[in-house]
Amino acid sequence: MKVLTEILKRKYNLNSVEEISKVVMDSRKIEKNSLFIAINSGNNYIEEALAKEASLIIADNYSGDNEKVIVVEDSVLAIQELALQYRNELGVKVIGITGSNGKTTTKDIIYSILSQRYRCKKTEGNYNNHIGLPFTILQLEDSDEIIVLEMGMSSFGEIDTLCKISQPNYGIITNIGDSHLEFLKTRENVFKAKSEIVKYVDSDKLLVCGDDFYLKSLNSLTVGYGANCKYQITDFVDSDNGIELTLDSNHYNVRLNGEHNCLNSAMGIIMGERFNLSCDEIQRGLGSLNLTPMRFQKIEKGETIYINDAYNASPISMRYSLETFDRLYNDRVKIAVLGDMLELGEDEIKYHREVLEKANSIKVDKIYVYGPRMKKAYEILEDTKLITHFSDKEQIKAEIRESFPQAKAILLKGSRGMKMEEIIEG
């Protein structure tokens, strides 16, 4: 990280500093020659960082006199400013991805495709906010060419902040859904907040879902199933083995399921085309895809297949998961285990009731629900013959074991706070 080291020397008027080899915010990950950025409680670990021979420390609460510690007014602002300068001096191409659903999967797909030719980095885990995004940028190495950044938000102004830090060259808005209604109140407001990325990206480098009511109104590239889309998906097939699709007269196979993941894949394909990758390179990227866990992740335990889609949930992502589950594994017992959706505001019970009505309409043998919101929705639902509410996840596990010893497929879906993946045996 010679470029970053030189930036630090100039920015803070340092006569000399050991070359930075790693940037960390967690003191447990400090190694020799690390840059440690002490944010919030991280200021309590400055002495530990010095003992571990960090090259440099940026902190906003330090009263000592060690020359390795740079004291700033605000560590969060410091990491944002440093990330912007580093991004600009490296000259990497930045792809920013926002949307209500599908951000992480789309990010993983684009990264896998572009990595077939370019040196790339991507957002890891949930580092998609005003601290995580600049930290991700600071993971870049001097030889990297592209970074794929996930941009999360829960209120107005947050996407704008992330764009100011990252200065995206390309942008993607996956869709507009009902996430964050507790804070933003209406889907129109969600659209306004997500579309803050628009002013940072040229229209011919902004890709959106053209089937989305709000997004199709933007001056941008559109992709979707509708004939009005610039890039139209055709010949879509979904099976236990994955999906197939045709885009721009080229046929592709992806080891994912669902119309929503077909759309996410199409966005990755188009981005590969924008970076001049061949069809073969794009297909290799799709074939070597390594998804972030808990996004319709298939886990086999004996004769049981768990579909772990439990990273998060909203009304639209619940519908996507249930519609996809409807088409799969119809040669065995199928159980949908659904947990509460959080941050939906005053109409949350209505959204939960609609999810249960959708679950009742698909090919499924049993529906188990967990959480107080699901319970309230269950109690006002007219048709509950397939549905059982449980207040304990261990009870759900026991019911599955005792009632269905045969081969089965189990869908797990709920908001992150519900931790539905805990139902997986072993």
Side-chain angles (χ1 to χ4, degrees):
M1 293 179 160
K2 289 182 180 179
V3 174
L4 180 59
T5 306
E6 288 302 314
I7 290 172
L8 289 164
K9 287 171 67 176
R10 295 196 310 269
K11 188 176 181 66
Y12 296 110
N13 298 314
L14 304 173
N15 292 324
S16 64
V17 62
E18 296 170 334
E19 184 175 325
I20 302 299
S21 61
K22 185 178 183 181
V23 180
V24 299
M25 295 188 296
D26 185 339
S27 62
R28 295 168 295 184
K29 297 180 180 179
I30 294 172
E31 300 172 358
K32 186 177 180 180
N33 297 339
S34 294
L35 166 63
F36 174 54
I37 302 177
I39 293 176
N40 300 326
S41 62
N43 289 283
N44 299 327
Y45 299 93
I46 293 172
E47 294 303 325
E48 178 185 340
L50 291 169
K52 290 182 174 179
E53 299 185 74
S55 289
L56 212 59
I57 298 164
I58 296 176
D60 55 15
N61 186 10
Y62 177 68
S63 57
D65 59 1
N66 194 298
E67 62 183 13
K68 285 188 173 184
V69 183
I70 299 169
V71 181
V72 297
E73 186 174 337
D74 186 330
S75 293
V76 174
L77 183 60
I79 192 176
Q80 293 175 349
E81 292 175 346
L82 185 61
L84 173 58
Q85 190 171 353
Y86 190 43
R87 172 254 182 276
N88 286 337
E89 292 203 20
L90 282 181
V92 296
K93 297 297 183 185
V94 177
I95 302 170
I97 304 174
T98 187
S100 295
N101 305 101
K103 294 185 295 295
T104 301
T105 300
T106 303
K107 171 204 70 182
D108 290 338
I109 293 169
I110 292 173
Y111 172 82
S112 185
I113 289 172
L114 296 183
S115 293
Q116 301 305 307
R117 184 183 294 188
Y118 299 97
R119 288 184 60 90
C120 303
K121 289 284 193 301
K122 66 174 179 175
T123 301
E124 300 289 352
N126 61 349
Y127 284 95
N128 63 2
N129 65 5
H130 66 295
I131 296 173
L133 180 139
F135 177 71
T136 299
I137 292 173
L138 292 176
Q139 304 309 304
L140 285 164
E141 298 171 80
D142 295 355
S143 58
D144 284 325
E145 300 165 287
I146 299 171
I147 187 165
V148 189
L149 295 173
E150 184 177 331
M151 297 180 172
M153 52 129 285
S154 57
S155 61
F156 291 117
E158 294 181 1
I159 296 298
D160 186 68
T161 295
L162 300 182
C163 288
K164 285 177 180 174
I165 298 166
S166 62
Q167 296 294 306
N169 304 98
Y170 297 82
I172 291 176
I173 309 177
T174 56
N175 54 32
I176 301 299
D178 299 310
S179 303
H180 311 303
L181 290 185
E182 182 178 354
F183 310 104
L184 291 170
K185 305 303 180 184
T186 68
R187 191 177 285 196
E188 174 73 26
N189 284 340
V190 175
F191 167 65
K192 290 178 181 178
K194 299 289 187 185
S195 60
E196 289 170 1
I197 194 175
V198 171
K199 68 180 181 181
Y200 292 91
V201 181
D202 294 339
S203 60
D204 64 340
K205 295 180 180 177
L206 178 66
L207 181 63
V208 305
C209 172
D211 298 328
D212 187 286
F213 173 79
Y214 293 99
L215 295 179
K216 65 184 179 182
S217 66
L218 295 175
N219 179 25
S220 60
L221 302 175
T222 54
V223 59
Y225 298 95
N228 61 310
C229 295
K230 176 176 175 57
Y231 298 94
Q232 185 183 10
I233 299 167
T234 59
D235 303 325
F236 168 68
V237 177
D238 196 358
S239 70
D240 293 358
N241 297 319
I243 55 180
E244 299 178 39
L245 71 148
T246 298
L247 193 70
D248 273 356
S249 301
N250 297 308
H251 196 71
Y252 298 96
N253 301 283
V254 194
R255 290 181 292 105
L256 297 174
N257 288 107
E259 291 183 11
H260 58 299
N261 278 325
C262 182
L263 181 60
N264 296 336
S265 300
M267 289 182 169
I269 292 165
I270 295 164
M271 198 56 63
E273 292 177 352
R274 304 295 285 183
F275 279 85
N276 300 313
L277 270 70
S278 68
C279 295
D280 288 343
E281 287 174 312
I282 291 171
Q283 182 58 66
R284 282 203 304 272
L286 294 171
S288 59
L289 178 61
N290 185 18
L291 284 184
T292 300
M294 293 194 285
R295 272 77 170 186
F296 219 82
Q297 177 187 14
K298 299 175 185 178
I299 300 172
E300 295 189 35
K301 301 281 186 178
E303 289 191 295
T304 300
I305 297 175
Y306 292 94
I307 307 297
N308 183 7
D309 202 20
Y311 181 77
N312 219 332
S314 66
I316 191 170
S317 70
M318 279 280 197
R319 190 183 81 239
Y320 288 160
S321 290
L322 290 167
E323 288 175 349
T324 303
F325 194 51
D326 181 42
R327 291 191 290 266
L328 305 177
Y329 305 114
N330 289 314
D331 59 344
R332 58 179 65 206
V333 168
K334 294 168 62 175
I335 304 166
V337 186
L338 309 176
D340 281 0
M341 301 176 289
L342 308 180
E343 299 182 1
L344 291 180
E346 59 187 20
D347 289 327
E348 60 179 8
I349 304 306
K350 175 177 78 76
Y351 290 121
H352 283 77
R353 188 192 73 241
E354 290 172 354
V355 164
L356 293 185
E357 289 171 346
K358 180 66 178 180
N360 256 335
S361 72
I362 69 168
K363 299 184 190 73
V364 66
D365 296 284
K366 281 290 182 182
I367 303 163
Y368 297 148
V369 297
Y370 171 75
R373 296 164 186 81
M374 281 294 182
K375 182 179 181 182
K376 289 180 181 178
Y378 163 74
E379 288 172 345
I380 62 175
L381 201 67
E382 293 183 5
D383 182 5
T384 60
K385 61 180 180 294
L386 293 180
I387 306 174
T388 307
H389 174 267
F390 291 87
S391 57
D392 184 274
K393 280 180 272 192
E394 290 300 322
Q395 293 177 343
I396 297 176
K397 291 166 72 171
E399 176 67 20
I400 292 172
R401 278 197 308 269
E402 294 167 11
S403 299
F404 301 100
Q406 67 270 55
K408 53 192 171 287
I410 303 169
L411 172 66
L412 305 174
K413 184 72 174 170
S415 282
R416 183 81 301 269
M418 304 309 292
K419 299 181 180 179
M420 301 304 291
E421 72 279 2
E422 293 178 346
I423 290 168
I424 298 174
E425 291 280 12

